[in-house]
Amino acid sequence: MPYRSPLLDVPGSIPSPDDHPEAGVPWHWGDPFAEQRTASRSVVVIDRSHREFLAVSGEERLSWLHLVISQHVTGLAEGSGTEALVLDSQGRVETHMVLAHLDGTVYLDSDAGSRVTSALPKGGPQTLHEYLEAMKFWSKVDIRDATGELALLTVLGPDAERVLSAVGAEVGPEPYAVAALPGGGFARRMPWPGRWSVDLAVPRAALVDWWKKLTDAGARAAGSWVFDALRVESVRPRLGVDTDDRTIPHEVGWVGSAAHVAKGCYRGQETVSKVHNVGRPPRNLLLLHLDGSPEVTPETGDPVLLDGRTVGRIGTVIQHHELGPIALALVKRSTPVGAELLAGSEDNLVQAAIDPDSVPAEQPAPGRAAAAQLRG
């Protein structure tokens, strides 16, 4: 049965459409643009309780995880976290997760419905839990589904520290710092979206109580629309929306943050290392500004066109309170930064332009030079 957050029963919440990637949690609370403004100027709290949790414990938890995920975690200290991927043998992204190491357990949270499709097939795609269980062999680890134990809330905004302090959710200032919450669960500082972001993994049975504590402390209720708008502005991908079945970590900015280039012993590592050291990714995840004058916008999966040729793929499309209609898109690396693009299909075709600030630093000339010139 599809997940439905209990916060959808709180007056004022508006659910996401059933076919939306964030279905099951509030999409907004009546005024998504005002909620975005509050996130940039004060503080909001966003229900992300549809994310799934796994808990990995046991004396070999770090050395074993080090072998099966893309990140270097043998030295992951208690009270810290990171991001990681599961890749296929060609280095293509299958699953993205965020980690938190606390009290002898590594918690992994991922988007609802994450699947591993290429390894150890058992009649079809495996859940992340099934995949990790299949890779356990004789390792001294225990893997349990903790989705019924924990639910995720995200606090965003420059006043986040004040609200977190009021509810006893103290966490260090460094990215991915992790600290226990009073009553169970943990807080994890995130480097995105926006400059002030803290995830609270709260006991699922206390989700409504925590929501009330945070809003009573001054956080405005906000929906997944706000999170997506800030995520797109930050050029951070969502698996399965901004990625396709050919995406490698380099294309979407996951090298370093989620995939380690020097460690071996994980599936897809050869591709990660080779592209990092001797090549360049064929595509880059870029921010597109869309023409807002038509009453249509492109949809996820629609093409990005240059002179009638497909040069990219549209991912997340969102209305931003300051930037207007924007989108993330995987675009061929050779596409000129100042090119006049079209995004969409026949019925929703609009003009689009690459935001030069989203061009990766390693982009070769003329793309990088053009980006610098456009910035002035």
Side-chain angles (χ1 to χ4, degrees):
M1 185 175 181
Y3 174 74
R4 186 181 189 279
S5 171
L7 293 174
L8 288 172
D9 295 325
V10 176
S13 66
I14 306 298
S16 301
D18 291 341
D19 59 350
H20 195 277
E22 312 302 336
V25 296
W27 192 25
H28 61 85
W29 292 77
D31 194 339
F33 295 131
E35 293 164 28
Q36 289 180 44
R37 288 192 292 271
T38 303
S40 65
R41 300 170 187 173
S42 182
V43 58
V44 301
V45 56
I46 300 169
D47 178 10
R48 301 176 64 216
S49 61
H50 54 335
R51 285 181 68 80
E52 298 174 348
F53 279 87
L54 296 176
V56 181
S57 58
E59 62 183 272
E60 295 180 350
R61 61 189 180 280
L62 294 181
S63 58
W64 173 75
L65 275 171
H66 188 77
L67 297 176
V68 296
I69 61 176
S70 63
Q71 189 58 282
H72 197 300
V73 295
T74 53
L76 187 67
E78 290 261 357
S80 65
T82 187
E83 297 178 54
L85 308 169
V86 172
L87 307 177
D88 71 8
S89 60
Q90 303 302 311
R92 295 169 295 206
V93 179
E94 297 223 292
T95 301
H96 172 265
M97 66 203 86
V98 189
L99 279 60
H101 190 195
L102 188 69
D103 296 335
T105 300
V106 180
Y107 296 94
L108 294 73
D109 60 281
S110 58
D111 290 323
S114 292
R115 295 290 185 268
V116 178
T117 60
S118 64
L120 302 173
K122 294 182 178 179
Q126 297 172 291
T127 65
L128 180 59
H129 190 187
E130 290 170 338
Y131 169 71
L132 294 179
E133 284 285 357
M135 297 297 290
K136 187 167 67 172
F137 301 110
W138 299 278
S139 299
K140 296 177 182 178
V141 295
D142 179 71
I143 309 163
R144 74 175 188 274
D145 186 345
T147 305
E149 303 170 24
L150 296 171
L152 197 68
L153 298 172
T154 295
V155 179
L156 289 172
D159 290 341
E161 299 305 317
R162 172 181 57 79
V163 168
L164 293 170
S165 178
V167 299
E170 305 285 351
V171 64
E174 62 275 11
Y176 304 107
V178 176
L181 289 175
F186 60 85
R188 178 183 58 212
R189 190 172 299 279
M190 293 296 292
W192 60 273
R195 295 173 54 192
W196 306 275
S197 178
V198 175
D199 288 341
L200 302 181
V202 304
R204 188 167 289 274
L207 173 62
V208 176
D209 292 338
W210 269 97
W211 180 267
K212 189 175 188 307
K213 284 197 297 183
L214 291 163
T215 53
D216 286 349
R220 178 174 184 160
S224 62
W225 187 328
V226 172
F227 189 89
D228 276 344
L230 295 181
R231 177 179 62 78
V232 171
E233 181 185 9
S234 302
V235 195
R236 296 283 183 161
R238 189 196 193 282
L239 186 75
V241 179
D242 303 301
T243 65
D244 58 19
D245 59 5
R246 298 184 293 120
T247 301
I248 60 175
H250 316 69
E251 295 179 319
V252 293
W254 274 335
V255 167
S257 63
H260 200 278
V261 298
K263 88 175 185 88
C265 303
Y266 69 92
R267 196 175 54 164
Q269 185 270 339
E270 289 186 4
T271 298
V272 172
S273 179
K274 181 178 180 181
V275 174
H276 178 75
N277 291 314
V278 300
R280 294 189 179 97
R283 302 175 296 177
N284 287 319
L285 187 70
L286 301 177
L287 176 64
L288 299 186
H289 294 274
L290 306 176
D291 182 5
S293 55
E295 295 184 0
V296 294
T297 55
E299 297 179 355
T300 299
D302 280 348
V304 178
L305 304 171
L306 173 61
D307 298 330
R309 296 178 293 109
T310 298
V311 295
R313 173 196 178 275
I314 291 290
T316 306
V317 181
I318 201 83
Q319 290 281 346
H320 190 280
H321 74 288
E322 289 183 338
L323 302 178
I326 55 176
L328 292 179
L330 279 169
V331 179
K332 287 183 179 179
R333 184 172 53 85
S334 59
T335 304
V337 175
E340 295 182 2
L341 304 174
L342 293 175
S345 58
E346 292 183 4
D347 295 332
N348 57 355
L349 198 63
V350 300
Q351 291 182 323
I354 296 170
D355 187 317
D357 287 328
S358 69
V359 178
E362 65 272 15
Q363 177 83 0
R368 196 68 200 159
Q373 189 175 38
L374 285 171
R375 292 188 189 101

